Amino acid sequence: MAKVALVTGGTRGIGEAISLALKQAGFNVVANYFGNETAAQSFHQQTGIPIYRFDVGNFEDTQAAVHKIEAEVGPIEVLINNAGITRDATLQKMSFEQWNAVIQTNLTSCFNTCRAVIDGMRDRKYGRIVNIGSINGQAGQYGQVNYAAAKSGIHGFTKALAQEGAAKGITVNAIAPGYIATEMVRAVPPNILEKIVAKIPVGRLGESSEIARGVVFLASDDAGFITGSTLSINGGQHMY
Ligand code: CAA
């Protein structure tokens, strides 16, 4: 039977590419979304992948949604924590709301989803968790104390949970994408983006599919000896 894979933020951007690549690799994919109803509906119509709307930053809503998915689709064996937002501003201009929204959606979400699936994975002695971090969590980024802190937190979270899951057949890894051609990156002011791209040795933005292929590998049975690692996919921009 095909393994059930839940992709958070799985209907747009990098998440959409991950959902499609996992489906193509034979997983029974379920995609979460929250913000953009229209994009999610069109994703569902085009791909046939079931979509579930809930706020991954909200603990109770996430527990309820995961139980619903497991009742309707089956036990979640692969979890991809991809949902993420930006609220860029320099610290002196950043509001508490901008700080908190990014921490909740990008980092607390990993606790919320993992907490909901971990008992089942431990009972079945199998799990694949892939958390999407960021180059900006490794290197920092001007205007992103919230995002860099959340993504850096994801990398620590990954290593800690990897230690807890190792003896139970659960691997936990992170991917740290660089600048990928998505709406999120295109929202960076063009003059700033130009300077960032100039510093990417490969000389271009990455493609969402290039992140998705890394996820499929880490989610596969073949990756059973890889845990607690971070795969940097960034065109050589930061070698870590
Ligand atoms: N390094 C050093 N200085 C910088 C800088 C940088 N990266 N970016 C801007 N500055 C400087 C500017 O040159 C400017 O200097 P002057 O006043 O001397 O001209 C000063 O800082 C103020 O810059 P802005 O006018 O841009 O300030 P602002 O308050 O209007 O905007 C900002 C600040 C919102 C942070 C804006 O600079 C910005 O959007 N930066 C891009 C942040 C970014 O890269 N975000 C990544 C989003 S994609 C993502 O996060 C996905 C992923 O995982 C990679």
Side-chain angles (χ1 to χ4, degrees), residues 216-235:
V216 170
F217 173 60
L218 291 172
S220 71
D221 288 347
D222 288 343
F225 201 56
I226 304 174
T227 196
S229 74
T230 297
L231 178 58
S232 296
I233 305 179
N234 62 29

PDB file of all heavy atoms in Angstrom, residues 216-235:
ATOM      1  N   VAL A 216      12.121  13.898  -1.919  1.00  0.00           N
ATOM      2  CA  VAL A 216      11.728  12.527  -2.297  1.00  0.00           C
ATOM      3  C   VAL A 216      12.804  11.538  -1.855  1.00  0.00           C
ATOM      4  O   VAL A 216      12.498  10.473  -1.317  1.00  0.00           O
ATOM      5  CB  VAL A 216      11.473  12.422  -3.822  1.00  0.00           C
ATOM      6  CG1 VAL A 216      11.314  10.974  -4.246  1.00  0.00           C
ATOM      7  CG2 VAL A 216      10.233  13.217  -4.203  1.00  0.00           C
ATOM      8  N   PHE A 217      14.055  11.923  -2.031  1.00  0.00           N
ATOM      9  CA  PHE A 217      15.137  11.019  -1.610  1.00  0.00           C
ATOM     10  C   PHE A 217      15.102  10.809  -0.099  1.00  0.00           C
ATOM     11  O   PHE A 217      15.125   9.665   0.383  1.00  0.00           O
ATOM     12  CB  PHE A 217      16.502  11.567  -2.053  1.00  0.00           C
ATOM     13  CG  PHE A 217      17.644  10.769  -1.493  1.00  0.00           C
ATOM     14  CD1 PHE A 217      17.777   9.419  -1.790  1.00  0.00           C
ATOM     15  CD2 PHE A 217      18.573  11.353  -0.640  1.00  0.00           C
ATOM     16  CE1 PHE A 217      18.810   8.653  -1.248  1.00  0.00           C
ATOM     17  CE2 PHE A 217      19.613  10.597  -0.095  1.00  0.00           C
ATOM     18  CZ  PHE A 217      19.724   9.250  -0.402  1.00  0.00           C
ATOM     19  N   LEU A 218      15.016  11.881   0.668  1.00  0.00           N
ATOM     20  CA  LEU A 218      15.034  11.741   2.134  1.00  0.00           C
ATOM     21  C   LEU A 218      13.790  11.028   2.653  1.00  0.00           C
ATOM     22  O   LEU A 218      13.805  10.438   3.733  1.00  0.00           O
ATOM     23  CB  LEU A 218      15.175  13.123   2.795  1.00  0.00           C
ATOM     24  CG  LEU A 218      16.539  13.803   2.597  1.00  0.00           C
ATOM     25  CD1 LEU A 218      16.515  15.236   3.118  1.00  0.00           C
ATOM     26  CD2 LEU A 218      17.663  13.011   3.266  1.00  0.00           C
ATOM     27  N   ALA A 219      12.709  11.068   1.884  1.00  0.00           N
ATOM     28  CA  ALA A 219      11.459  10.403   2.298  1.00  0.00           C
ATOM     29  C   ALA A 219      11.436   8.925   1.913  1.00  0.00           C
ATOM     30  O   ALA A 219      10.536   8.185   2.309  1.00  0.00           O
ATOM     31  CB  ALA A 219      10.268  11.116   1.651  1.00  0.00           C
ATOM     32  N   SER A 220      12.423   8.497   1.151  1.00  0.00           N
ATOM     33  CA  SER A 220      12.396   7.132   0.628  1.00  0.00           C
ATOM     34  C   SER A 220      12.937   6.126   1.644  1.00  0.00           C
ATOM     35  O   SER A 220      13.654   6.494   2.580  1.00  0.00           O
ATOM     36  CB  SER A 220      13.228   7.046  -0.664  1.00  0.00           C
ATOM     37  OG  SER A 220      14.605   7.156  -0.338  1.00  0.00           O
ATOM     38  N   ASP A 221      12.622   4.859   1.425  1.00  0.00           N
ATOM     39  CA  ASP A 221      13.170   3.795   2.274  1.00  0.00           C
ATOM     40  C   ASP A 221      14.702   3.777   2.191  1.00  0.00           C
ATOM     41  O   ASP A 221      15.382   3.437   3.142  1.00  0.00           O
ATOM     42  CB  ASP A 221      12.626   2.430   1.828  1.00  0.00           C
ATOM     43  CG  ASP A 221      11.157   2.265   2.205  1.00  0.00           C
ATOM     44  OD1 ASP A 221      10.650   3.085   3.003  1.00  0.00           O
ATOM     45  OD2 ASP A 221      10.519   1.331   1.690  1.00  0.00           O
ATOM     46  N   ASP A 222      15.234   4.151   1.008  1.00  0.00           N
ATOM     47  CA  ASP A 222      16.682   4.121   0.781  1.00  0.00           C
ATOM     48  C   ASP A 222      17.463   5.038   1.718  1.00  0.00           C
ATOM     49  O   ASP A 222      18.680   4.878   1.878  1.00  0.00           O
ATOM     50  CB  ASP A 222      17.008   4.560  -0.660  1.00  0.00           C
ATOM     51  CG  ASP A 222      16.604   3.501  -1.659  1.00  0.00           C
ATOM     52  OD1 ASP A 222      16.392   2.348  -1.251  1.00  0.00           O
ATOM     53  OD2 ASP A 222      16.472   3.846  -2.854  1.00  0.00           O
ATOM     54  N   ALA A 223      16.786   6.030   2.295  1.00  0.00           N
ATOM     55  CA  ALA A 223      17.493   7.032   3.109  1.00  0.00           C
ATOM     56  C   ALA A 223      17.476   6.684   4.607  1.00  0.00           C
ATOM     57  O   ALA A 223      17.686   7.556   5.448  1.00  0.00           O
ATOM     58  CB  ALA A 223      16.890   8.408   2.872  1.00  0.00           C
ATOM     59  N   GLY A 224      17.283   5.409   4.908  1.00  0.00           N
ATOM     60  CA  GLY A 224      17.120   4.985   6.304  1.00  0.00           C
ATOM     61  C   GLY A 224      18.315   5.232   7.223  1.00  0.00           C
ATOM     62  O   GLY A 224      18.169   5.254   8.446  1.00  0.00           O
ATOM     63  N   PHE A 225      19.505   5.415   6.649  1.00  0.00           N
ATOM     64  CA  PHE A 225      20.689   5.632   7.493  1.00  0.00           C
ATOM     65  C   PHE A 225      21.033   7.124   7.595  1.00  0.00           C
ATOM     66  O   PHE A 225      22.031   7.502   8.184  1.00  0.00           O
ATOM     67  CB  PHE A 225      21.879   4.835   6.927  1.00  0.00           C
ATOM     68  CG  PHE A 225      22.973   4.568   7.940  1.00  0.00           C
ATOM     69  CD1 PHE A 225      22.701   3.919   9.140  1.00  0.00           C
ATOM     70  CD2 PHE A 225      24.284   4.965   7.690  1.00  0.00           C
ATOM     71  CE1 PHE A 225      23.714   3.678  10.068  1.00  0.00           C
ATOM     72  CE2 PHE A 225      25.304   4.727   8.615  1.00  0.00           C
ATOM     73  CZ  PHE A 225      25.007   4.081   9.809  1.00  0.00           C
ATOM     74  N   ILE A 226      20.192   7.950   6.980  1.00  0.00           N
ATOM     75  CA  ILE A 226      20.430   9.401   7.029  1.00  0.00           C
ATOM     76  C   ILE A 226      19.447   9.996   8.025  1.00  0.00           C
ATOM     77  O   ILE A 226      18.235   9.951   7.821  1.00  0.00           O
ATOM     78  CB  ILE A 226      20.202  10.054   5.649  1.00  0.00           C
ATOM     79  CG1 ILE A 226      21.070   9.387   4.589  1.00  0.00           C
ATOM     80  CG2 ILE A 226      20.473  11.558   5.714  1.00  0.00           C
ATOM     81  CD1 ILE A 226      20.802   9.881   3.173  1.00  0.00           C
ATOM     82  N   THR A 227      19.953  10.534   9.114  1.00  0.00           N
ATOM     83  CA  THR A 227      19.059  11.216  10.053  1.00  0.00           C
ATOM     84  C   THR A 227      19.809  12.326  10.774  1.00  0.00           C
ATOM     85  O   THR A 227      21.015  12.228  11.000  1.00  0.00           O
ATOM     86  CB  THR A 227      18.379  10.220  11.027  1.00  0.00           C
ATOM     87  OG1 THR A 227      17.259  10.902  11.629  1.00  0.00           O
ATOM     88  CG2 THR A 227      19.312   9.676  12.093  1.00  0.00           C
ATOM     89  N   GLY A 228      19.082  13.402  11.067  1.00  0.00           N
ATOM     90  CA  GLY A 228      19.676  14.556  11.742  1.00  0.00           C
ATOM     91  C   GLY A 228      20.544  15.398  10.823  1.00  0.00           C
ATOM     92  O   GLY A 228      21.299  16.252  11.289  1.00  0.00           O
ATOM     93  N   SER A 229      20.421  15.173   9.526  1.00  0.00           N
ATOM     94  CA  SER A 229      21.292  15.910   8.603  1.00  0.00           C
ATOM     95  C   SER A 229      20.545  17.071   7.949  1.00  0.00           C
ATOM     96  O   SER A 229      19.316  17.105   7.941  1.00  0.00           O
ATOM     97  CB  SER A 229      21.837  14.974   7.528  1.00  0.00           C
ATOM     98  OG  SER A 229      20.817  14.684   6.608  1.00  0.00           O
ATOM     99  N   THR A 230      21.328  17.986   7.416  1.00  0.00           N
ATOM    100  CA  THR A 230      20.750  19.092   6.639  1.00  0.00           C
ATOM    101  C   THR A 230      21.332  19.040   5.239  1.00  0.00           C
ATOM    102  O   THR A 230      22.554  19.028   5.078  1.00  0.00           O
ATOM    103  CB  THR A 230      21.097  20.460   7.275  1.00  0.00           C
ATOM    104  OG1 THR A 230      20.516  20.524   8.572  1.00  0.00           O
ATOM    105  CG2 THR A 230      20.557  21.611   6.441  1.00  0.00           C
ATOM    106  N   LEU A 231      20.454  18.961   4.265  1.00  0.00           N
ATOM    107  CA  LEU A 231      20.880  18.974   2.865  1.00  0.00           C
ATOM    108  C   LEU A 231      20.711  20.400   2.344  1.00  0.00           C
ATOM    109  O   LEU A 231      19.586  20.911   2.260  1.00  0.00           O
ATOM    110  CB  LEU A 231      20.019  17.984   2.066  1.00  0.00           C
ATOM    111  CG  LEU A 231      20.251  17.873   0.568  1.00  0.00           C
ATOM    112  CD1 LEU A 231      21.697  17.497   0.244  1.00  0.00           C
ATOM    113  CD2 LEU A 231      19.303  16.829  -0.029  1.00  0.00           C
ATOM    114  N   SER A 232      21.829  21.060   2.036  1.00  0.00           N
ATOM    115  CA  SER A 232      21.774  22.432   1.520  1.00  0.00           C
ATOM    116  C   SER A 232      21.646  22.389   0.009  1.00  0.00           C
ATOM    117  O   SER A 232      22.481  21.782  -0.664  1.00  0.00           O
ATOM    118  CB  SER A 232      23.051  23.190   1.901  1.00  0.00           C
ATOM    119  OG  SER A 232      23.133  23.321   3.303  1.00  0.00           O
ATOM    120  N   ILE A 233      20.602  23.023  -0.514  1.00  0.00           N
ATOM    121  CA  ILE A 233      20.393  23.069  -1.973  1.00  0.00           C
ATOM    122  C   ILE A 233      20.289  24.550  -2.328  1.00  0.00           C
ATOM    123  O   ILE A 233      19.218  25.157  -2.258  1.00  0.00           O
ATOM    124  CB  ILE A 233      19.111  22.299  -2.380  1.00  0.00           C
ATOM    125  CG1 ILE A 233      19.150  20.849  -1.841  1.00  0.00           C
ATOM    126  CG2 ILE A 233      18.937  22.314  -3.896  1.00  0.00           C
ATOM    127  CD1 ILE A 233      17.918  20.009  -2.180  1.00  0.00           C
ATOM    128  N   ASN A 234      21.443  25.149  -2.645  1.00  0.00           N
ATOM    129  CA  ASN A 234      21.452  26.619  -2.741  1.00  0.00           C
ATOM    130  C   ASN A 234      22.361  27.166  -3.849  1.00  0.00           C
ATOM    131  O   ASN A 234      22.700  28.354  -3.834  1.00  0.00           O
ATOM    132  CB  ASN A 234      21.844  27.207  -1.380  1.00  0.00           C
ATOM    133  CG  ASN A 234      23.249  26.796  -0.932  1.00  0.00           C
ATOM    134  OD1 ASN A 234      24.117  26.545  -1.762  1.00  0.00           O
ATOM    135  ND2 ASN A 234      23.463  26.736   0.365  1.00  0.00           N
ATOM    136  N   GLY A 235      22.766  26.319  -4.801  1.00  0.00           N
ATOM    137  CA  GLY A 235      23.588  26.806  -5.913  1.00  0.00           C
ATOM    138  C   GLY A 235      24.973  27.268  -5.481  1.00  0.00           C
ATOM    139  O   GLY A 235      25.621  28.051  -6.178  1.00  0.00           O
TER     140      GLY A 235
END
